[in-house]
Amino acid sequence: MNRDNTRFQDNDPENCNSSQISNFFLALPCYLKKFQVFNIRPIIAAMLDSLKKLVPEFGRANVRMRDPDQVEQAIRVMMKDAQHKLQVVADFDRTLSKYSENGKPCSTTHSVLEESKHMPDFYRTESLKLKEMYLPIEFDHGKTIEEKIPKMIEWWHKGHELLTSCHLTQQDLIPIVTDSMARLRNGCKDFFNLLHSLDIPILIFSAGIGDVISETINQQATFYPQNMKIVANFLKFDELGKMVGFIGEEIIHTFNKNENAVHSSDYFYNIRHRENLLLMGDSLGDLRMAEGADHVECVLKIGFLNFKVQENLDLYMQSYDVVILEDESLDIVNGIVKAILGHPTVES
């Protein structure tokens, strides 16, 4: 008999030879019978039902979890301490902000400037050339992070030099952001309000432009300095309000969020009693944002997979605890937070 056409006889484990066992999917019926596990679907369904009682938003079709039981355990641990031990670390572009709105692409903090009619023509032209050159490298799965980092540094340096040559002013940023396609996710304003009402710290950690982040939040929600901190690439202005460069010598790019000065500062030390952490990101580089939080005991990692879902889903599910697919809102995150906090509500 042709080996390719071999079938297990009566699904009997004794008849499974080594070549068949080597193929997981072909050997699966043997294992299931041997261990009397005929159908695991009811077990998975029961775990999901329990979890959906805690967070009804987990019932949505665009939520994926590698291990629902582990997610439930993390949420229940956090529920015991509620707001008293909770902290949030979140990326901004395409995490707190939208990837798209009604089918139209939304702007990242860099593209807010790159696409703006208020910016010089030469800037829009040259910044597009840089994006076309370096963006494919950032998302090239055939390259390691170590191979990508020099190119990202090169891109950020060239982009920052180009932006500095525009002599932007602080006042210019207001209409630039107003007229842009930067959009906070639906429910983001409520998210910020809820965290502020209970004095829960949120660190917004971005490789983007910090001034654009703060202006976007101020225009579309409320920035609360008491519990909100932004770590990003901030513009440096002279005494006349004209941009002359960037603050500090360290560039934050997609793949060095674990190396930034926030990790050597006292930020995480000062909130060391907050042992429960929600981490929110949309890239694998975002997973390293909280590496300086040495006192954290429980972490729940929430990933937004905004595009190329089938291509990237397995990798995201291996890396994040909860993966949210092609969503314009923070509804699922808000559902998780409300479960942890006992379902409080705060008016917008």
Side-chain angles (χ1 to χ4, degrees), residues 72-84:
E72 180 174 351
Q73 288 181 34
I75 292 174
R76 290 193 180 280
V77 167
M78 294 183 180
M79 287 172 66
K80 295 178 183 177
D81 303 313
Q83 71 269 26
H84 306 293

Side-chain angles (χ1 to χ4, degrees), residues 23 27 36 49 108 112 140 158 161 166-167 189 239 274:
N23 187 318
Q36 299 298 306
D49 285 343
T108 64
V112 162
D140 185 351
K158 290 180 179 178
E161 289 174 1
C166 296
H167 305 299
K189 182 177 180 179
E239 64 277 3
R274 294 188 176 272

Side-chain angles (χ1 to χ4, degrees), residues 8-16 29-31 33-34:
F8 297 126
Q9 299 175 6
D10 300 323
N11 289 336
D12 186 350
E14 299 299 324
N15 292 324
C16 296
C30 297
Y31 287 119
K33 186 167 183 179
K34 184 175 182 179

Side-chain angles (χ1 to χ4, degrees), residues 141 145 254-255 281-288 315-316 319-320:
H141 295 301
I145 290 178
T254 307
F255 300 111
D282 76 305
S283 73
L284 300 183
D286 292 334
L287 292 162
R288 310 182 72 181
L315 187 57
Y316 272 61
S319 306
Y320 285 99

